[in-house]
Amino acid sequence: MEHLMAVILAAGEGKRMKSKKSKVLHKVCGMTLIDWVYKSVKGAGVDETVVVVGHKAEDVKESMGDKVLYAYQDKQLGTGHAVMQAKEYFEGKEGEVLVLCGDTPLITSETISKTVEIHRKNNNSATIITAELENPAGYGRIVRDENNNVLKIVEDRDATEDEKNIKEINSGMYCFNIKDLERVLGELDNNNSQGEYYLTDTIEILIKKGLKVGAVKVDDSDEILGINDRVQLSMANEILRKRILTNHMKNGVTIIDPGNTYIDADVSIGMDTVIYPGSIIEGQTEIGEDCIIGPSSRIVGSKISKGVEVKNSVVLESSIEEDTSIGPFAYIRPGSVIGKKVKIGDFVEIKKSVIGDRTKISHLTYVGDAEVGTNVNLGCGVVVVNYDGKKKNKTKIGDNCFVGCNVNLISPVEVKNNAYIAAGSTITDEVPENSLAIARARQVVKEEWVTKKGMLRKD
Ligand code: UD1
Ligand code: CA
C-alpha cells in the first residue's frame, strides 16, 4: 500500500482575525478551522497527518491532541520553509504527501480524494488544487503554456500585469510525490518580494526537471475559501451550516426552516425527527429517530433518545431516554439522566439529577442533586433545597412517591418508596415507605373574626 500523508500548515499568526486566539482555533459550526481540514484529509484516507505549528503552538497542540504529529516552525519564513520543518516525517517514504492550510475549512474529502486519484493516475510529481475566480486578487496565479500545461505559480505581489489577469488561482493545497518534493524543497530560495521561501516555487522547479505537474480545478470555488478575518469566518459558517443541514435532510430529518436552524458538525440525528425553527444543537449531541426538537430549543452535548420532544427548552450535557417530553420552558442542566416516558413541564429546572421512568414533574419545580425513582409525581412548586449555604446535599426519592404542591425537601433527606407528602410541607427527616408525611402547621379558623374586629372591606 502506498503511503498517503498530509501536512497542514498552521504556523502563521492570522493578524487580520484581530484575536488573542490562534486563527486556526476559531470555530465554525462547533469545530475549529483546523479540525475541519483534518476531518477532510482523514475522510480522504490519509494515514498520517503532520501539523506545522509556530504561532500559539501550545494552544494548537492542546486543541488537536495526539491524533496528529507536530512539526515546529520557529520563524514564519514562508510556506516552503514550513513544509521543510515537517520533512523528517516523510523523508525516505514512498507515496504522496498532501499539503493544505489550516485555515481552509471548506475543502471536502471528495475533492482531496479526486486530487489524489488524478495525481496517481497521471503519475504526477505534483497536483495543484485550483479554482477559477472572478476576482483573483491576492491569490497566486496558475501560469500555463499555449498547450494549457501548468508552467508555474506566480504570487500576486510578484505577478506581471498580464499574469494578474489570470483567473485561475492556487488554492494553496497540493498533492506531492514524496520523493520529488524532497528533491526540490532544498532548492527553494527567498528571492522574491516577500523574502519568503515559497512552496509554490517547487512547481516551476519540478517542471524544469522534466517532471509532471497537474491541476484539479474545483467546481465550487467556495471549497478553497481561506479564512483571514471574521467576515470570512461568518461566510464559512454559513456555507458549512447549509452543508450540515442539507446532509441531515438527505438522511430523513425534517428541518422546517433551514434559515433559522443551527446544527454543529458532530451532531447525529435519526430519521423522521422534526426540527422546528430557532433550534440550536451543539457539540457531540446524538438525537434519535422520531423526535420533535423546538421551536427554540438549545441542546448541547447531550444524548436524546427516540421519540423525545424538547420544546422551547435548554438541555445541557444530559441524557434523555425514549418517549420523554421536555418543556415548554424547561432547563435541564449538566449531569442529568432523565428516564423513559417522563414528563418535564414548564418552568422546571433539573440539575445533576437522575429521574426514573414515567415520573411527572409538570410545573414550576427545581430538582438539584437528587435521585428520583420511577412513577413519581412531583406537584407544582416542589423545591429540592439542595444548598445549605455551604455545600450541596443529596436528596433521594423512591419509586411511586407522590409529593404534593409547594413541598420543600431540605437535603440531605430521603423519601422511601410509595410515600406521600402533603402539599405545603417542609420535609427535613426521612419519610418511611408507604407512609404519609405532613409537615405544616394546622389550619386555625376564627369564626366571625372579620365582623367582630370591624375588618370588613367595603367596596
Ligand atoms: C498562499 C500561496 C498562494 C495561494 C494562497 C491560497 C505561497 C507562497 N502562496 O499564499 O499561491 O494562492 O496561499 O490561500 O504559498 N504558513 C506557515 N508558515 C509560514 C507561512 C505560512 O505555517 O511561514 C501557513 C499559514 O499559517 C497559512 C498558510 O501557511 O495557514 C498559508 O500562508 P499565507 O501566508 O496565508 O499564504 P498566502 O500569502 O495567502
Ligand atoms: Ca503570505
Side-chain angles (χ1 to χ4, degrees), residues 16 78-79 155 157 194 196 198:
R16 282 170 285 173
T79 46
E155 288 306 292
R157 300 200 205 192
Q194 300 194 74
E196 288 183 0
Y198 288 169

Side-chain angles (χ1 to χ4, degrees), residues 182-236:
E182 251 187 86
R183 254 178 86 187
V184 296
L185 270 181
E187 295 180 31
L188 293 179
D189 61 42
N190 60 356
N191 299 328
N192 50 56
S193 64
Q194 300 194 74
E196 288 183 0
Y197 294 88
Y198 288 169
L199 181 62
T200 44
D201 287 347
T202 56
I203 301 302
E204 197 180 2
I205 301 173
L206 287 169
I207 290 165
K208 283 193 171 149
K209 288 191 190 304
L211 295 163
K212 252 179 105 183
V213 173
V216 173
K217 209 187 285 178
V218 292
D219 299 326
D220 178 1
S221 60
D222 279 352
E223 274 200 51
I224 60 103
L225 180 70
I227 310 303
N228 294 309
D229 58 29
R230 310 260 181 171
V231 177
Q232 288 169 325
L233 189 72
S234 86
M235 282 161 66

